[in-house]
Amino acid sequence: MKALAAGIGVVFLSPILLAGTGMMLASSAQAVQSNATLSDCLTDLDAGEIADQVAKLLDGASAKDVHIEGLDLPTEQVPNAQTIVAAGLSLDVPTKGQIIALATAMQESRLRNLNYGDRDSLGLFQQRPSQGWGSAEQIRDPTYASEQFYKHLLKVNGWQQMAVTQAAQAVQKSGLPDAYAQWDDLATALQAAVAKTFPGGGDADATDADHGTEPSTPTGCTPGQDGSGFGRIPEGSVPKGYTIPKDADPKARKAIAWAMQQLGTLYQWGGSCTNAHGPDPMGRCDCSSLMQQAYAHAGIHLTRTTYTQVSEGKAVSPSKLQPGDLIFSRGSAARPEHVSMYMGEGLVIEAPRTTKPVRITPLKDWKILAARRVL
């Protein structure tokens, strides 16, 4: 990766390259155009004002109405910051790790998802396909790039006791290791501002555990009704022979059909599920937004988080599930951490967890803590 002093007003036109096996070289000098010298760091930032501006932009405000010190392209940079924070939350990375990731991306790309860089460096963190960070297409996916950064950071011994610039350097191996320090204050303010925008204050859907590790709660289904008859179901596919039951409530049919249209799209913690097939990771689905949007397309309003959806509609027995019923698992019955939708014929559709796509699984694999009928 190309190392540069991203201090405001200094641009290195001749990058300093650092040879290193398996690690990145620093980003393109064109990627980081600033307004101050390296010694003139962004300090005395108004964190409250940044939070207000971030919320304003994510609510759809025009770029001309949003002003965040240190960000010259906030409509591009803030959504990328949101993706980095969401990836950290989904992987249970502590706040400090998220700040390190944001500071790194600020230095390497100015929080821009670049399609160019030094040699074959690409994306938010200027990761290199030739150095084992993934394919060019993967690296250009902000969620993938963020997850790769975090996985490398978590392998650094004692990173939580390091200064932000030291931890970033341990991952990046930059030729200018002190350059990350100038983004510490802005990264801290951005992390706090972005985290506040997620449903549940950063708690909802944050678990990274899967549901299939515990035996399922008895459901009263016969073997043919617990999904076992479909055999192994490839992720993101519809099992051969399945059709939405004809006797299902018409609104449940619409919700199930819409949810099935999202099959194969990658999970995104905090994603709105409003454009799961689009290029913006935050348009993808997490477990509760998949339920919310599926029922929205059937004309039924659901609240946003798993923790609130467990109070929607009325409780039903797991032994008397009907197509369209919401199924809750993980955590506790009072505070479940995952939600999915029963499809009939012993099948369940869900947005499971980070790195996994929207998929259909058999009911036999589920430990059901609660079930709700919202029709």
Side-chain angles (χ1 to χ4, degrees):
M1 240 171 259
K2 188 188 309 176
L4 23 114
I8 305 180
V10 175
V11 176
F12 284 80
L13 299 178
S14 298
I16 300 173
L17 304 181
L18 176 71
T21 302
M23 302 309 291
M24 300 169 283
L25 295 178
S27 60
S28 166
Q30 296 174 344
V32 185
Q33 295 183 354
S34 322
N35 307 325
T37 64
L38 184 60
S39 62
D40 186 15
C41 299
L42 290 166
T43 57
D44 299 322
L45 296 172
D46 187 334
E49 176 63 17
I50 289 177
D52 290 343
Q53 294 293 303
V54 165
K56 187 177 176 181
L57 188 147
L58 294 176
D59 282 341
S62 169
K64 64 183 178 61
D65 298 324
V66 175
H67 304 283
I68 300 175
E69 185 178 355
L71 301 185
D72 51 357
L73 296 170
T75 55
E76 179 180 359
Q77 293 163 313
V78 169
N80 285 333
Q82 187 184 42
T83 298
I84 291 171
V85 172
L89 290 168
S90 72
L91 294 173
D92 292 326
V93 176
T95 296
K96 183 173 180 178
Q98 298 167 37
I99 292 170
I100 293 166
L102 288 169
T104 302
M106 285 296 302
Q107 169 63 17
E108 300 297 346
S109 69
R110 287 303 304 274
L111 277 174
R112 296 163 60 198
N113 190 20
L114 300 176
N115 62 2
Y116 61 89
D118 179 76
R119 300 187 185 184
D120 58 342
S121 299
L122 296 167
L124 290 172
F125 299 91
Q126 290 288 278
Q127 294 156 338
R128 297 183 61 192
S130 64
Q131 298 301 313
W133 289 88
S135 68
E137 182 180 5
Q138 287 175 320
I139 291 170
R140 285 271 294 150
D141 181 321
T143 298
Y144 174 89
S146 300
E147 289 170 353
Q148 288 300 305
F149 178 85
Y150 286 126
K151 288 174 182 178
H152 282 76
L153 174 66
L154 295 176
K155 291 178 182 178
V156 175
N157 186 36
W159 70 267
Q160 288 179 279
Q161 285 71 52
M162 295 179 181
V164 167
T165 191
Q166 292 173 320
Q169 171 65 3
V171 175
Q172 302 297 95
K173 306 297 184 185
S174 169
L176 293 176
D178 296 328
Y180 303 104
Q182 65 189 313
W183 305 112
D184 192 337
D185 288 348
L186 179 57
T188 300
L190 272 179
Q191 190 282 332
V194 169
K196 291 178 182 178
T197 69
F198 288 112
D203 293 327
D205 302 336
T207 182
D208 197 40
D210 209 342
H211 62 262
T213 57
E214 300 180 60
S216 61
T217 298
T219 64
C221 297
T222 63
Q225 295 174 314
D226 65 2
S228 58
F230 289 100
R232 180 182 174 277
I233 304 171
E235 287 191 336
S237 68
V238 179
K240 185 177 180 179
Y242 172 79
T243 57
I244 301 174
K246 294 181 179 179
D247 59 353
D249 184 284
K251 291 185 177 181
R253 291 177 62 85
K254 286 184 179 180
I256 294 169
W258 189 88
M260 289 173 64
Q261 292 172 11
Q262 318 315 313
L263 284 169
T265 61
L266 284 177
Y267 175 99
Q268 173 63 56
W269 188 90
S272 64
C273 202
T274 53
N275 188 13
H277 295 273
D280 182 0
M282 298 314 298
R284 299 173 189 165
C285 309
D286 64 15
C287 67
S288 56
S289 66
L290 178 63
M291 302 300 106
Q292 182 189 48
Q293 291 301 317
Y295 266 111
H297 284 78
I300 294 176
H301 172 76
L302 297 183
T303 53
R304 174 61 181 85
T305 72
T306 301
Y307 302 146
T308 54
Q309 288 177 2
V310 75
S311 299
E312 302 274 5
K314 62 181 180 181
V316 294
S317 168
S319 65
K320 297 180 179 179
L321 293 174
Q322 294 180 7
D325 286 348
L326 302 185
I327 295 172
F328 297 86
S329 63
R330 307 177 192 162
S332 66
R335 193 170 175 78
E337 297 171 346
H338 188 58
V339 62
S340 59
M341 185 185 297
Y342 183 60
M343 303 171 64
E345 298 193 29
L347 297 176
V348 180
I349 189 166
E350 62 165 344
R353 58 186 174 88
T354 187
T355 74
K356 292 290 186 178
V358 175
R359 65 186 182 184
I360 295 172
T361 55
L363 191 62
K364 66 180 181 65
D365 289 349
W366 287 77
K367 180 179 180 180
I368 301 175
L369 299 175
R372 307 290 295 189
R373 187 163 299 151
V374 298
L375 298 170

